[in-house]
Amino acid sequence: MVSVVPLRGVIIFLCLLHLCVQGVQDVNTVCLAQMTQYFYDNVQPKTKQGTDAQYALSIYVPPAHCVDKHAKIKNVFDKEDATLVKMLLNRGDKCELCTELKNVIASRPDMKTSEHSEHVLLYPVGNSLMDKLLAKARDQSCVVFYSYNSPCVTTCLQSADNILEGLRNWINKRKIEGQMNAFVFQEIWDKDKDLQTEFKKIDEIVPLYRCRRNRNVMQCKKCVNNNVVDPFCLPKKK
């Protein structure tokens, strides 16, 4: 006698199989909050006026650091290395896999060419600092791309120098089951408009998150859910 599997069970199985094949796994926002707070406390460069400066940083870490809130980022990016990255950024230099584990790249905007920090890390496609970082990353890893400010609309997302191709290059190189990726920003570039449309463009390529301090506590949320942008990721209504 041939056993019959209920249709509902088949559908559920196929859906789960699809998720496994795609390697879909969300990054834990508590982990991102801890990571972002660590960056802010130990890496954040300053302007000559002493205010927080724009910079971008990317790091690859073991998967546990993106799902287990008890994993400590300092174990894979210690304070000595973080101090080195901060020193390089404060003097206008880049971190080109400059840490002991060769798992971090970072840059401020290029003052000579006006190239934005995100673009500095992602281009030229095929020979960028991001390409070099991904070549070092293990198959089972989590890659986090952090920008202090949200990518500006006019240059980072709409101009000929936009970062979207660089983001696609990143994700296309990581189409292996179990790999996690996150694009995280902290502050909103206050001159931008129509962020809902532009943030969706990023999230279509790589999951977009915002981490921001609220009463000195870092909180993170995924920016786009069911094609709707969470107000947490948008400027406060005046």
Side-chain angles (χ1 to χ4, degrees):
M1 180 176 179
V2 179
S3 61
V4 178
V5 179
L7 180 59
R8 182 182 177 188
V10 172
I11 293 174
I12 292 174
F13 171 76
L14 290 175
C15 289
L16 291 173
L17 179 62
H18 172 75
L19 291 175
C20 290
V21 170
Q22 294 297 317
V24 174
Q25 188 172 9
D26 285 338
V27 173
N28 186 323
T29 52
V30 174
C31 295
L32 283 184
Q34 294 172 347
M35 205 178 296
T36 304
Q37 185 68 57
Y38 186 84
F39 297 158
Y40 188 77
D41 291 341
N42 298 286
V43 180
Q44 180 64 52
K46 300 291 184 180
T47 66
K48 292 180 179 179
Q49 294 72 34
T51 58
D52 294 335
Q54 164 60 15
Y55 80 105
L57 175 152
S58 190
I59 183 171
Y60 74 82
V61 295
H65 286 77
C66 288
V67 293
D68 180 1
K69 64 182 181 180
H70 299 295
K72 304 296 183 183
I73 182 67
K74 66 180 181 180
N75 292 337
V76 291
F77 182 30
D78 65 30
K79 291 192 176 181
E80 185 176 347
D81 278 334
T83 299
L84 170 62
V85 175
K86 183 175 183 176
M87 180 194 72
L88 291 171
L89 294 174
N90 274 328
R91 72 185 191 193
D93 293 332
K94 294 178 283 190
C95 167
E96 303 184 18
L97 301 173
C98 64
T99 62
E100 184 178 354
L101 295 179
K102 307 295 183 188
N103 63 339
V104 175
I105 55 174
S107 177
R108 288 176 69 170
D110 190 317
M111 294 296 103
K112 295 179 180 178
T113 64
S114 298
E115 185 180 10
H116 288 220
S117 53
E118 304 97 320
H119 200 275
V120 171
L121 298 186
L122 294 167
Y123 288 81
V125 170
N127 192 34
S128 66
L129 288 180
M130 191 63 164
D131 285 302
K132 294 174 182 177
L133 179 79
L134 295 176
K136 293 280 185 182
R138 292 163 292 190
D139 288 343
Q140 295 297 318
S141 61
C142 177
V143 174
V144 175
F145 189 101
Y146 169 81
S147 175
Y148 177 71
N149 285 308
S150 59
C152 68
V153 169
T154 7
T155 303
C156 293
L157 299 175
Q158 292 184 348
S159 77
D161 292 326
N162 75 73
I163 64 173
L164 298 180
E165 183 185 359
L167 295 179
R168 291 190 191 97
N169 175 62
W170 160 20
I171 299 306
N172 286 340
K173 288 192 170 185
R174 288 180 53 80
K175 288 184 175 178
I176 299 176
E177 179 185 339
Q179 294 187 342
M180 290 174 285
N181 307 281
F183 189 120
V184 186
F185 71 91
Q186 184 169 326
E187 304 300 322
I188 293 175
W189 181 243
D190 57 8
K191 297 180 181 179
D192 278 339
K193 298 179 180 179
D194 197 22
L195 289 173
Q196 296 202 41
T197 300
E198 301 305 324
F199 283 173
K200 287 179 185 178
K201 290 181 182 178
I202 295 176
D203 192 75
E204 286 174 357
I205 303 170
V206 56
L208 179 66
Y209 298 81
R210 184 186 184 187
C211 295
R212 74 179 186 200
R213 287 174 299 147
N214 182 16
R215 297 178 181 176
N216 293 321
V217 176
M218 194 69 76
Q219 297 177 319
C220 298
K221 288 188 178 182
K222 192 172 186 305
C223 288
V224 184
N225 299 282
N226 298 319
N227 205 37
V228 176
V229 178
D230 193 309
F232 181 87
C233 298
L234 299 172
K236 292 182 180 179
K237 293 183 179 180
K238 298 180 179 179

